[in-house]
Amino acid sequence: MDPSEQAHNGEQEHNGVKEPEQEHNGSTEPLPPPPPVPPNVTPIKAESEPALKKVFRAPMARRGLGTKGNKVPILTNHFKVNVSNVDGHFFHYSVALSYEDGHPVDGKGIGRKVLDRVHETYDTDLAGKEFAYDGEKSLFTVGPLPRNKLEFTVVLDDVTSNRNNGNASPGGPGSPNESDKKRLRRPYRSKTYKVEISFAAKIPMQAIANALRGQESENSQEALRVLDIILRQHAAKKGCLLVRQSFFHNDPRNFTDVGGGVLGCRGFHSSFRTSQGGLSLNIDVSTTMIIQPGPVVDFLIANQNVKDPFSIDWAKAKRVLKNLRITTSPTNQEYKITGLSERPCKEQTFSLKQKTKDDAGEVQSTDVTVYDYFVNNRNIDLRYSADLPCINVGKPKRPTYFPLELCSLVSLQRYTKALSTFQRASLVEKSRQKPQERMSTLSGALKSNNYDSEPLLRSCGISISTNFTQVDGRVLPTPKLKAGNGDDIYARNGRWNFNNKKFVNPSKVERWAVVNFSARCDVRGLIRDLIKVGEMKGVIVEPPFDVFEENQQYRRAPPLVRVDKMFEDIQAKLPGAPKFLLCLLPERKNCDIYGPWKRKNLADFGVVTQCLAPTRVNDQYLTNLLLKINAKLGGLNSVLAIEQTPSIPLVSKVPTIILGMDVSHGSPGQSDIPSIAAVVSSRQWPSISRYRACVRTQSPKVEMIDSLYKRVSDTEDEGIIRELLLDFYVSSGKRKPDQIIIFRDGVSESQFNQVLNIELNQIIEACKFLDEKWSPKFLVIIAQKNHHTKFFQPGSPDNVQPGTIIDNKVCHPRNYDFYLCAHAGMIGTTRPTHYHVLLDEVGFSPDDLQELVHSLSYVYQRSTTAISVVAPICYAHLAATQLGQWMKFEDASETSSSHNGAAPGGGPPVPQMPRLQESVRNSMFFC
């Protein structure tokens, strides 16, 4: 879900907090004595190495509040929390669950049921105390339990079912006979559990008050974690699906079909936050994906997009169904799917014990098909299952089969695979809410949750306000832009256009050709219009050398083949290498030629290329296309007025490089896809509108960028930073940057220390490796979009105005952070970007820093709008995504290189990203 949410699950928090202690290797035992020195050896005195000063950096404190802009009142989805019992203590106990034989319980989800039973059965032993249980190994109470160690034994009847009627088999005709009832129930007889609860720690509630004064500690994070766990438990008791800090009710009104048997399920995020205004509860609308509940067969038909059950691909079905929970009719018993039967229902047999005994008194058994058993022995009418596989819910050695049509998927089961482009588009469209609608949903949630009735919150003396917190926002002045011929561009409401204006720095489209991969289109008309629109914008578009139409025999060939054949054609007919290729693709989204085509152009031939799917081409479309083409060919569309004069505070005076850093990971279901790290850097100082990118692969799911500094010998560093610094030096008139501004995307609060102490150290080493005597000053800013703070205009149906900034009340009590909505929210509710300034050695005033960040939302060359996060981060994201498309078509064996070594944890080596050709390496190819 959200990196920002991880900051609250406590487990993860520690790696951000305990860091400094680890220098003693964490061990407190005395070291063993040194080995004896052999008699014929004279020990050499060890040279004392010059101690490297390891500075531990922590995020800086706020330097004051900004003052620029028009003040506006803003409402936010934080609700004030009052804590009256600050002298109390939370007591933390660890919970160990085991079966009767002493084996630990490993299954998920059983813990809550067992502890609910402990609560019912042993209320007096627990002195009537309520507890908050996290579902795993931790339990918290307000005040101590009677003893430091308690042991209980509880019995649960039917483990898998959380439905009330899970055990009742209907009586009367058709009810299973006795032996059948035994067969059915054998794996589900009652189980006995041992529960051991032992004291672990005592957490003073005073820690919350300290955190509000800006003194964060491990205690304060733990105390807030307890409050979050109380809310999670509150939701679990109502039968919600819990996903980190969010919960989802089983209410079909919250479900929306996004296609492929997947539903979007709307629920709520809630977390306690310390802020300048005190403790607050942040509540927001949240969406997760679930499997369509109901008949398994309906899900499979939707999932595979087929007409009927007889067209289902069963190998695929088996993969999708594994581990999902179903109920079977008519008993409504709940099971977990372990697989499918090898043979269809009418052929799959099992051994059925007979009622009659033979002469020797032995119970006889006969082989019977699953179909015959259900139809004849159970008198259940089966309409279509005979020729389809059965669902297996048994163990590998002891299968238990059910005909497909008797199985229904249980509601609220998460779907964790990547969504297709179409599913994602459908989800976004169906789950967005206008600001007013979102506010009323949140107010409703707060009322229906009725937190005042939660006994644990009451015993902490906690009450939660039902009013949205009001904060003071400011709307910053809109940055002024310049077009060609010195014309001013006036942005209004975060948007502008190039009507009757030329680009500020137009490039020339020459030595180029058009490539058409079987798109239906009037190519000649398209070229004519492109030349005309180019002329209006100041871009000279020469007539293309040729139009290459795809040979029809390759239309159905694999993407790589189609691209190779097209290039053979181009090479045969063109007199020399083209400078630019315009590529027409047959479909808009997900065209599988895109990745191989980009890779061939950029990595193999060094040609700038622009793709389009010519569906609705008009002048506006072509102007937008030219924005991209011009930027890729080295032009600029518009620049900031303060860039031209140069008068950007602290940036125009001293050579300054701006970096944008991002890591993109495969979707949650793909654990073996390498993560892609991209760093973009500004060039040609004092410009802050021109960037280049450097992209590398790294081990899957690793968030810290590992190739910033890669020393391979005494004189060689193959890291990203060296490459970017050298380009800055060459493009900025042989100047080294004395200031390095870093924007880092996508790290949660628990990882801020790693950015400051691992990534920043690598960047400093890369600088020192270039020039030992050079010490640039750093500014490090994290940008987060994955958080749950939203802003609303009181009494207005519209989103907050572009340029709205908030640095008080809901911001951190000590650290230097602010929220900025730079863009105009057109649809749904604006998601502000949360900027955290971790380090500022340059010495910006709050106003200058906030204005720099705001200005960087106006230099994005691909659109004529302000964007929601600074351009360097957007560019890093684009570069990582585009090169990620290349990797999809890689044959892993061909690219895995020993150079990168094996991935940590002994995984397979990470395939390396192909290098871009020299001619396009410094271009804005990602635009």
Side-chain angles (χ1 to χ4, degrees), residues 172-181 183 330 350-355 366-382:
S175 83
N177 56 37
E178 276 312 295
S179 71
D180 178 36
K181 209 179 242 178
R183 266 195 72 248
F350 68 98
S351 138
L352 177 68
K353 294 199 172 86
Q354 299 295 311
K355 286 184 198 175
T366 52
D367 277 358
V368 48
T369 68
V370 176
Y371 182 82
D372 289 342
Y373 168 75
F374 277 90
V375 172
N376 303 330
N377 296 40
R378 302 276 302 273
N379 300 330
I380 294 171
D381 185 26
L382 294 179

Side-chain angles (χ1 to χ4, degrees), residues 760-818:
L760 183 56
N761 277 354
Q762 281 197 38
I763 294 172
I764 291 171
E765 288 200 42
C767 293
K768 292 279 179 228
F769 194 75
L770 269 170
D771 178 352
E772 189 57 47
K773 296 194 267 308
W774 170 43
S775 296
K777 292 176 174 169
F778 287 92
L779 168 63
V780 180
I781 301 177
I782 305 280
Q784 286 178 337
K785 294 271 303 219
N786 283 341
H787 58 79
H788 285 280
T789 298
K790 298 283 190 300
F791 297 118
F792 307 92
Q793 289 198 61
S796 159
D798 297 328
N799 270 309
V800 295
Q801 301 170 61
T804 300
I805 196 158
I806 282 130
D807 59 4
N808 60 64
K809 208 124 179 213
V810 290
C811 291
H812 196 279
R814 171 195 171 273
N815 296 357
Y816 190 175
D817 65 331
F818 58 90

Side-chain angles (χ1 to χ4, degrees), residues 520-522 525-527 529-530 533 584 612-623 625:
R520 287 205 203 93
C521 156
D522 166 15
L526 176 74
I527 294 167
D529 293 346
L530 188 66
V533 174
L584 309 184
L612 76 150
T615 41
R616 293 189 295 275
V617 178
N618 54 23
D619 283 6
Q620 180 60 58
Y621 182 95
L622 290 172
T623 304
L625 194 72

Side-chain angles (χ1 to χ4, degrees), residues 480-524:
K480 287 200 171 45
L481 295 167
K482 287 285 194 188
N485 302 335
D487 288 352
D488 289 316
I489 297 178
Y490 294 105
R492 292 190 49 191
N493 198 22
R495 311 176 77 79
W496 62 94
N497 61 50
F498 278 103
N499 295 351
N500 308 319
K501 292 189 176 64
K502 291 187 163 32
F503 293 160
V504 69
N505 185 343
S507 55
K508 188 173 180 185
V509 182
E510 56 186 350
R511 294 198 13 223
W512 69 288
V514 181
V515 166
N516 184 7
F517 283 102
S518 309
R520 287 205 203 93
C521 156
D522 166 15
V523 183
R524 299 287 158 204

